[in-house]
Amino acid sequence: MENMIIRDFETKDYDRVLELNDESVHFLSPLTKDKLKRIISESEMMKIVEVDKNVEAFVLTFRENKEYDSVNYLWFADNYKEFLYIDRVVVSVKMQGKGLGKALYESVISHAKSNDVPYVSAEIDIKPPNPGSLVFHEKFGFKEVGKQTVYEGKKVVSLQVVKID
């Protein structure tokens, strides 16, 4: 998409990021502005995608050894010495299927390569199912390394990694 730019998160993006998160909250955990500020301070990278100067997507990642209490992040922390964890990638409903998520994942993998991070990790909902996400991650070479029941049994996630060469 020729009118798309990927850039670092800026404080002016808080409200739009919260809107995007709320729009897809059924696949994510909810965020408040305070929680978002806290997790960004611990994050490795947070990238924004603008299309025609409108924020339409973002990705938030963490390295190992951070003070982050996500049960899925903690699973990877218990099982991998070094990794880059994709906590959330969100694309506005109106822009889904237009390559924004792909561009964000390419930036995450590029970041991992340039920082000698051996694995990129993520989780995908399998109960309730998110087949589009499974196919998307498969295209990037992600493989399941575990499963976990979360949110008091309401969700089951597939814990996946891709080895970075």
Side-chain angles (χ1 to χ4, degrees):
M1 182 172 286
E2 56 196 61
N3 51 354
M4 172 179 73
I5 64 161
I6 298 176
R7 63 169 174 78
D8 291 333
F9 171 85
E10 298 172 11
T11 56
K12 69 180 182 179
D13 301 320
Y14 276 116
D15 291 340
R16 181 63 176 145
V17 164
L18 291 169
E19 285 174 18
L20 289 170
N21 196 83
D22 286 348
E23 189 177 74
S24 295
V25 77
H26 54 286
F27 293 121
L28 308 163
S29 58
L31 281 177
T32 63
K33 194 168 188 177
D34 286 342
K35 183 175 181 181
L36 181 58
K37 284 180 179 179
R38 189 173 65 253
I39 63 177
I40 288 173
S41 73
E42 285 286 319
S43 71
E44 174 71 7
M45 67 180 276
M46 181 156 181
K47 295 287 185 183
I48 297 291
V49 176
E50 283 186 9
V51 178
D52 296 326
K53 299 185 180 178
N54 296 312
V55 174
E56 297 293 351
F58 71 92
V59 65
L60 178 66
T61 69
F62 293 88
R63 285 292 305 267
E64 67 281 346
N65 301 318
K66 296 296 177 183
E67 296 292 321
Y68 186 44
D69 62 356
S70 156
V71 294
N72 297 313
Y73 171 82
L74 294 171
W75 188 94
F76 289 110
D78 287 343
N79 290 279
Y80 288 85
K81 184 178 172 188
E82 291 181 278
F83 61 94
L84 180 60
Y85 171 68
I86 299 171
D87 180 65
R88 62 192 72 216
V89 60
V90 179
V91 177
S92 70
V93 169
K94 73 177 186 177
M95 295 303 291
Q96 290 179 1
K98 299 187 186 310
L100 280 65
K102 180 178 185 248
L104 285 171
Y105 264 61
E106 287 169 349
S107 74
V108 168
I109 289 170
S110 175
H111 181 85
K113 282 181 182 176
S114 66
N115 288 280
D116 297 320
V117 180
Y119 297 98
V120 173
S121 62
E123 79 275 348
I124 298 110
D125 288 357
I126 54 177
K127 178 189 167 191
N130 189 346
S133 185
L134 284 169
V135 169
F136 177 85
H137 285 85
E138 190 176 276
K139 288 179 183 174
F140 278 94
F142 281 82
K143 304 280 188 228
E144 185 173 271
V145 292
K147 287 184 183 166
Q148 182 160 257
T149 301
V150 295
Y151 298 112
E152 299 170 355
K154 294 178 184 150
K155 273 189 181 187
V156 178
V157 296
S158 171
L159 300 154
Q160 299 201 2
V161 300
V162 61
K163 183 153 180 35
I164 304 300
D165 298 319

